């Protein structure tokens, strides 16, 4: 752009080297520029040349920030805003729109638990590459996953917004399909999200499903092999313990995913996202405090826990806001644990494979922690 402006300025000087008086020319002629007009234009062009234009790096950073902004706003506000908008339209002349959409939701109620409506084009959006590069997010493969099996991938830790799980298992930006050819990845989330208008369509189009037995069972039994269902096992309870420098997982009593794996013969695969807990700062209330009690009760009633967290602002990384900090996230996918198919597994069998899974997860964490930002003394706390 600067080159074009400089060329225009030189062209003006070469075309009108001497002052000319302005005179009107009829019949389609032109009006020559006066010396004052030429000087004004040349001054304006030189001013534009002097202005610091954004570099390619600056433009890339802006696109990354916008990509993250749209994602955060979509997950935090899209469902609520859509619901309020439809309620408002009920009391206007456009009342037929929410009525028809409500009828559609009733007709389409079970779709999220029956395979959904995944759109491959949405997973390949260029915006997800900018989203990936903002942190950046990286996916690391340690072992092959055979397309002849189905898998349940345990995703740890939850963090605040599960950025690593979303970027790796929902978007195609980190190359999951290239690293694991023949494997289709899915991610589960709260079932209540699929009751919110428009937000449910957004989630299904990306390949998200409710974290229910029916939905997971459908993916593992009705769509052949080569399916990998990622579950953020710690859930909302784990998000309450999310803070930089501390790695605490809620896992000891979370055995439902192991039971599902046994019923369908799906292999268990541990994965860990190093850096997930560094994206936000959270006000953590001590166990036993009245604020922690309120969070626990809200979690039991609504399915998610209200966290008091903050990140960076929109205009500066030094200000506070709701955007995540730009911290690298590396998701390491571990070795698959072979699981037999047992229609009605006993408690002892579930406990056995649960212990094997925890052992595999600890091994994965300890072998990779020093490679991705942690020290040798850092430990994984499992509650």
């Amino acid at each position: 752009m600067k080159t074009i402006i400089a060329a225009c300025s030189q062209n003006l000087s070469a075309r009108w080297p001497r002052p000319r008086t302005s005179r009107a020319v009829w019949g389609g002629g032109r009006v020559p520029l006066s010396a004052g007009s030429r000087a004004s234009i040349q001054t304006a062009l030189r001013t534009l040349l002097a202005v610091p234009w954004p570099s390619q790096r600056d433009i890339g950073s802006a696109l990354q920030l916008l990509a993250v902004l749209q994602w955060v706003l979509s997950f935090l506000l899209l469902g609520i805003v859509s619901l309020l908008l439809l309620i408002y339209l009920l009391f206007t002349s456009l009342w037929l729109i929410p009525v028809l959409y409500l009828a559609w939701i009733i007709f389409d109620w079970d779709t999220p638990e029956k395979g959904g409506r995944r759109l491959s084009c949405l997973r390949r959006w260029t915006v997800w590459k900018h989203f990936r590069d903002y942190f950046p997010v990286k996916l690391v493969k340690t072992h092959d996953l055979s397309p002849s099996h189905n898998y349940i991938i345990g995703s740890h830790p939850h963090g605040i917004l599960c950025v690593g799980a979303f970027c790796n298992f929902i978007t195609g930006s980190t190359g999951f399909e290239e690293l694991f050819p023949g494997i289709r990845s899915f991610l589960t989330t709260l079932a209540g999200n699929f009751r919110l208008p428009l937000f449910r369509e957004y989630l299904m189009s990306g390949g998200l499903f409710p974290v229910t037995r029916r939905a997971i069972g459908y993916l593992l039994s009705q769509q052949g092999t080569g399916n990998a269902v990622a579950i953020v096992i710690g859930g909302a309870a784990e998000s309450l313990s999310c803070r930089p420098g501390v790695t605490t997982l809620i896992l000891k009593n979370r055995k439902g995913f192991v039971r599902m794996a046994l019923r369908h013969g799906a292999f268990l695969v541990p994965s860990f996202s190093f850096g997930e807990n560094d994206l936000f700062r959270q006000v953590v209330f001590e166990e036993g405090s009245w604020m922690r009690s309120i969070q626990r009760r809200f979690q039991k009633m609504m399915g998610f826990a209200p966290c008091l967290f903050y990140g960076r602002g929109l205009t500066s990384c030094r200000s506070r806001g709701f955007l995540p900090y730009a911290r690298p996230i590396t998701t390491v996918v571990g070795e698959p644990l072979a699981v037999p198919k047992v229609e009605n597994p006993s408690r002892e069998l579930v406990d056995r494979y649960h212990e094997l899974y925890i052992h595999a997860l600890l091994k994965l964490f300890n072998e990779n922690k020093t490679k991705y930002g942690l020290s040798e003394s850092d430990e994984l706390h499992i509650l």
Side-chain angles (χ1 to χ4, degrees):
M1 181 61 74
K2 283 190 174 183
T3 304
I4 295 174
I5 294 173
C8 290
S9 179
Q10 292 175 1
N11 186 44
L12 282 173
S13 300
R15 191 170 183 180
W16 292 290
R18 296 185 305 274
R20 295 184 180 180
T21 58
S22 178
R23 60 185 179 90
V25 179
W26 301 94
R30 72 183 180 188
V31 179
L33 293 175
S34 65
S37 299
R38 289 199 309 275
S40 299
I41 293 176
Q42 290 178 353
T43 301
L45 291 175
R46 292 192 186 99
T47 302
L48 286 175
L49 288 172
V51 172
W53 287 68
S55 64
Q56 187 174 1
R57 180 179 179 181
D58 294 333
I59 295 174
S61 298
L63 291 174
Q64 293 168 15
L65 191 63
L66 290 174
V68 174
L69 176 64
Q70 67 82 25
W71 179 78
V72 172
L73 291 178
S74 297
F75 268 81
L76 295 182
L77 299 178
L78 180 59
I80 299 299
V81 172
S82 299
L83 178 61
L84 294 176
L85 177 61
L86 290 178
I87 294 174
Y88 168 76
L89 291 178
L90 278 173
F91 301 95
T92 68
S93 59
L94 301 176
W95 60 270
L96 188 59
I97 294 177
V99 170
L100 291 176
Y101 186 75
L102 178 60
W104 162 252
I105 288 183
I106 294 174
F107 173 79
D108 196 54
W109 191 260
D110 292 332
T111 299
E113 294 186 327
K114 291 184 176 181
R117 284 185 295 272
R118 173 172 168 168
L119 299 178
S120 298
C121 59
L122 184 64
R123 296 166 66 95
R124 294 193 296 267
W125 270 3
T126 303
V127 69
W128 300 131
K129 294 182 180 180
H130 298 302
F131 179 87
R132 172 202 63 194
D133 294 338
Y134 170 83
F135 298 96
V137 182
K138 181 182 179 182
L139 181 64
V140 176
K141 168 185 172 181
T142 61
H143 293 79
D144 291 328
L145 298 182
S146 172
S148 61
H149 299 288
N150 285 325
Y151 303 89
I152 290 181
I153 301 178
S155 180
H156 310 275
H158 183 285
I160 297 295
L161 294 179
C162 305
V163 173
F166 177 85
C167 191
N168 288 298
F169 303 127
I170 290 301
T171 78
S173 60
T174 57
F176 183 93
E177 294 179 352
E178 289 74 24
L179 289 173
F180 302 100
I183 303 296
R184 297 178 297 275
S185 61
F186 304 89
L187 180 63
T188 58
T189 184
L190 291 174
N193 289 331
F194 295 89
R195 306 298 179 247
L196 295 173
L198 298 184
F199 191 44
R200 67 192 297 273
E201 323 299 339
Y202 177 78
L203 294 177
M204 283 192 290
S205 63
L208 284 100
F209 294 85
V211 60
T212 62
R213 293 180 181 179
R214 185 182 179 190
I216 297 172
Y218 185 94
L219 292 173
L220 296 177
S221 63
Q222 302 297 323
Q223 293 195 342
T225 60
N227 301 298
V229 182
I231 303 175
V232 186
I233 298 170
E238 193 171 279
S239 65
L240 296 177
S241 302
C242 169
R243 51 183 170 177
V246 178
T247 309
T248 302
L249 304 183
I250 307 297
L251 184 57
K252 279 188 178 180
N253 296 320
R254 301 292 176 98
K255 301 178 182 180
F257 73 101
V258 178
R259 186 173 287 103
M260 288 294 297
L262 286 165
R263 285 178 177 173
H264 298 281
F267 288 16
L268 290 170
V269 183
S271 72
F272 196 93
S273 294
F274 294 91
E276 182 73 44
N277 286 349
D278 299 331
L279 304 183
F280 293 95
R281 303 290 184 267
Q282 181 181 187
V283 179
V284 179
F285 300 101
E286 297 297 330
E287 291 291 343
S289 64
W290 66 275
M291 281 299 298
R292 178 54 69 98
S293 177
I294 291 176
Q295 288 177 318
R296 295 292 189 192
R297 291 179 182 178
F298 192 92
Q299 175 198 335
K300 290 181 180 179
M301 290 188 297
M302 305 300 295
F304 65 94
C307 301
L308 297 180
F309 66 90
Y310 65 89
R312 59 156 291 176
L314 180 61
T315 57
S316 173
C317 60
R318 295 182 177 86
S319 61
R320 292 187 179 184
F322 55 89
L323 295 178
Y325 291 106
R327 302 288 186 269
I329 303 173
T330 304
T331 301
V332 184
V333 179
E335 181 179 4
L337 173 64
V339 175
K341 185 175 182 179
V342 182
E343 188 171 348
N344 294 305
S346 63
R347 179 179 298 180
E348 291 76 15
L349 188 63
V350 172
D351 290 343
R352 175 188 172 190
Y353 278 93
H354 185 259
E355 291 178 3
L356 290 174
Y357 177 83
I358 292 179
H359 176 75
L361 177 61
L362 289 171
K363 179 182 177 184
L364 179 70
F365 176 82
N366 290 325
E367 288 180 350
N368 292 277
K369 61 183 180 181
T370 56
K371 300 177 184 177
Y372 306 113
L374 298 180
S375 66
E376 190 66 40
S377 60
D378 287 323
E379 297 181 355
L380 185 62
H381 304 282
I382 297 178
L383 303 178

